[in-house]
Amino acid sequence: MTRVLVTGATGYIGGRLVPQLLEAGHEVSVYVRSPWKLHDVPWRDQVRIFKGDLSDAVATHRAMNGIEVAFYLVHSMSAGSDFETAEQVAAQTFADVGAAAGIRRIVYLGGLHPEGVTLSKHLRSRAAVGRVFLDCQVPAIVFQAGIVIGSGSASFEMIRHLTEVLPYMPAPRWVRNRVQPIAIRDVLRYLVLATSVDADLNRTFDIGGPDVLRYGQMMNGYAVEAGLPQRHIAALPVLTPWLASQWVSLVSPVPRQIAVPIIASLQNDCVVTEHDIDRVIPPPTEGLLPYRTAVRLALTREAAGQVETSWQNATVPGAPSDPLPSDPDWAGHTVFTDLRERESAASAGAVWDVIESIGGAKGWHSFPLAWAARGWIDRLIGGVGMRRGRRHPSRVNRGDVIDVWRVESVERGRMLRLRAEMRMPGRGWLELGVEPTATGSRYRQRAIYFPKGLSGRLYWAVLLPFHGIIFNGMAASILREAERSPQPTRS
């Protein structure tokens, strides 16, 4: 048993690594900025949770006390001019504190990249962070991986939507670049087994699956596994990374802030240049997963509702990231509300089933054109839009994303509170609740808005005429669906 610390445990990789480490028999601690995001994960009670920021040496030392192996699985998606410096400072603090705490190993997951070429600033930053760890007093293993294929991966979601939406694609020239994708299963295996490698090993390792493909071939490989016709791709030399990210943002649910660094990292070939990892961590007996097999598994897990973590729940730069009080504190705020209450013959359990399934493929129960238009407007001004969907079709946990909302609070069977992450001059919430009555149930729906300045008040005033249609229709539709399902599946 090894005592390990995982940073980035609320993210896509870290959230999947923690249960793998527990299954392998390790004692796990996690270090996160927002412990509330772990409120509903199934392994929460099996780990020690430390709150803090990686730039805070005191809090980081507290989390590292007694730790043997520390995983550094964080990377900023910020577009700010100083994010590279901030990342290196955080990594240096982590390395220095780790040395002072006496840990014996740092494990970092960086990006696969060619040598001797100009890198995107995000790949350049990842490489710089890797060098910080390799130069520190604690031995480090720096894995360098390319595109990760798995249910919930942003890169996988981008491939899916580019393939499904556009049967003929005028595409950027990087669709001709060679890439070496790797299945999420194999990434996690490397990370888990890194806890037991030679204590003095200090170096980078390229990791990738068995297939080297052009990006266009990856899209058509996805098409085969999804039962779609082959796509015709015409590479154009005129689409810059920035323009390409705007285009990807329009045809996929991946927000522009996430699409930009992904696309920028595809401007060069990214393939494994050495296979030294095989001597340290031999591949599994059955071999690493081929690309199409990884796609097939991702689609199968999605169909079964088994997406453990997803890019959708990542905090997008510019969106609120911290929870607000369980009942928003109205003191000192101008507040606008829209309240709808209705009695229903449906049981409280049946109404709750509909509430908890809202959004994603199910939609928002009223005026879909208005919801879609608001989502498109949000995308055009740099927001997340309505197309992030949801991780599970019928169950939500605190911290989950549902389209343009984030689950701020859930009292299962009673109340769901969503916080808006759309671009608007103010802050907003939507509460959906139900309680049992002698004849069925009482449904309560409340929209809450804190306007910011004059523009915030004008924003509410402009939308006010539509509230009667949207919110009234939502309440009526939710109850109609609940009344068609008299037997609750949950209470």
Side-chain angles (χ1 to χ4, degrees):
M1 180 187 71
T2 303
R3 296 184 300 277
V4 301
L5 176 71
V6 178
T7 64
T10 60
Y12 176 69
I13 299 289
R16 294 186 178 215
L17 177 63
V18 169
Q20 297 276 328
L21 290 168
L22 290 169
E23 186 176 343
H26 299 301
E27 182 181 309
V28 182
S29 299
V30 299
Y31 184 44
V32 294
R33 285 187 301 177
S34 304
W36 65 275
K37 292 183 179 180
L38 301 176
H39 185 269
D40 293 306
V41 297
W43 41 263
R44 186 182 191 279
D45 294 334
Q46 301 175 59
V47 303
R48 293 192 303 165
I49 300 175
F50 293 90
K51 179 181 179 180
D53 190 277
L54 288 166
S55 62
D56 184 340
V58 174
T60 303
H61 193 280
R62 187 182 307 117
M64 281 194 180
N65 185 36
I67 293 298
E68 297 171 87
V69 176
F71 288 88
Y72 196 87
L73 302 175
V74 295
H75 177 63
S76 172
M77 302 303 277
S78 170
S81 59
D82 61 344
F83 91 93
E84 292 182 76
T85 300
E87 287 211 316
Q88 290 181 56
V89 168
Q92 189 66 60
T93 300
F94 193 81
D96 292 344
V97 171
I103 68 172
R104 62 174 177 83
R105 162 78 60 214
I106 291 174
V107 181
Y108 173 58
L109 181 63
L112 186 63
H113 60 274
E115 298 294 335
V117 300
T118 301
L119 300 176
S120 72
K121 61 181 180 180
H122 282 268
L123 270 181
R124 186 173 66 229
S125 181
R126 290 193 175 198
V129 168
R131 286 194 297 272
V132 168
F133 292 135
L134 294 173
D135 292 341
C136 78
Q137 299 178 47
V138 180
I141 289 180
V142 176
F143 289 119
Q144 299 181 151
I147 293 174
V148 177
I149 303 300
S151 54
S153 161
S155 298
F156 177 69
E157 197 70 25
M158 202 168 86
I159 293 168
R160 178 220 301 275
H161 282 270
L162 287 175
T163 307
E164 291 185 349
V165 173
L166 301 172
Y168 176 83
M169 286 178 282
R173 62 176 179 265
W174 48 257
V175 297
R176 292 177 175 170
N177 290 347
R178 297 186 308 146
V179 292
Q180 193 161 353
I182 183 170
I184 180 63
R185 186 196 72 169
D186 293 325
V187 172
L188 295 175
R189 179 177 178 274
Y190 282 128
L191 291 171
V192 171
L193 293 179
T195 60
S196 57
V197 301
D198 182 76
D200 296 325
L201 195 62
N202 184 69
R203 59 160 294 177
T204 64
F205 288 102
D206 289 355
I207 57 173
D211 299 315
V212 176
L213 305 166
R214 296 189 187 279
Y215 199 87
Q217 291 176 313
M218 291 177 62
M219 289 190 280
N220 274 320
Y222 174 89
V224 171
E225 294 301 327
L228 300 170
Q230 293 286 284
R231 278 16 192 172
H232 302 285
I233 302 170
L236 302 178
V238 296
L239 286 178
T240 66
W242 185 86
L243 284 174
S245 68
Q246 314 310 304
W247 170 67
V248 168
S249 181
L250 287 175
V251 301
S252 83
V254 179
R256 188 180 308 160
Q257 299 94 324
I258 294 177
V260 168
I262 291 176
I263 290 171
S265 70
L266 298 173
Q267 302 308 306
N268 303 299
D269 289 348
C270 286
V271 298
V272 170
T273 59
E274 47 82 10
H275 296 272
D276 296 351
I277 190 62
D278 292 347
R279 297 197 298 269
V280 179
I281 302 176
T285 305
E286 68 277 15
L288 300 173
L289 283 184
Y291 169 69
R292 281 180 49 184
T293 303
V295 170
R296 192 179 313 134
L297 287 176
L299 294 175
T300 301
R301 293 185 69 80
E302 287 177 358
Q306 297 175 338
V307 183
E308 299 96 333
T309 60
S310 173
W311 71 273
Q312 297 161 312
N313 292 339
T315 298
V316 175
S321 59
D322 296 322
L324 290 160
S326 58
D327 193 9
D329 181 7
W330 293 0
H333 288 280
T334 297
V335 60
F336 298 124
T337 62
D338 183 283
L339 179 63
R340 312 276 166 168
E341 291 184 304
R342 293 192 175 205
E343 301 290 328
S344 174
S347 67
V351 175
W352 176 254
D353 282 349
V354 181
I355 290 174
E356 196 171 8
S357 301
I358 200 166
K362 295 276 289 186
W364 292 86
H365 294 275
S366 70
F367 208 169
L369 182 61
W371 286 103
R374 183 62 183 90
W376 278 108
I377 292 170
D378 196 53
R379 298 284 287 203
L380 289 172
I381 61 176
V384 295
M386 288 293 293
R387 298 174 61 191
R388 286 188 293 179
R390 48 181 293 152
R391 182 177 58 86
H392 191 280
S394 60
R395 186 178 178 87
V396 295
N397 294 325
R398 191 176 179 187
D400 280 0
V401 158
I402 306 178
D403 296 324
V404 78
W405 307 89
R406 188 175 296 272
V407 178
E408 184 175 276
S409 177
V410 55
E411 299 174 31
R412 194 150 277 113
R414 180 177 171 272
M415 188 274 291
L416 174 67
R417 179 179 297 112
L418 308 173
R419 184 182 70 242
E421 291 192 338
M422 67 187 80
R423 294 291 181 95
M424 59 182 178
R427 294 181 292 168
W429 296 261
L430 179 64
E431 288 181 347
L432 308 174
V434 64
E435 59 184 29
T437 65
T439 57
S441 60
R442 178 180 296 108
Y443 172 76
R444 188 172 188 267
Q445 174 182 296
R446 181 171 64 154
I448 306 166
Y449 179 62
F450 290 178
K452 182 179 180 180
L454 178 60
S455 60
R457 288 159 174 77
L458 292 175
Y459 175 84
W460 180 266
V462 168
L463 293 181
L464 194 58
F466 298 98
H467 288 175
I469 301 172
I470 295 172
F471 291 135
N472 198 48
M474 177 187 292
S477 178
I478 286 173
L479 294 183
R480 276 197 306 270
E481 184 171 332
E483 288 163 3
R484 290 196 297 263
S485 305
Q487 297 299 319
T489 59
R490 295 185 295 273
S491 60

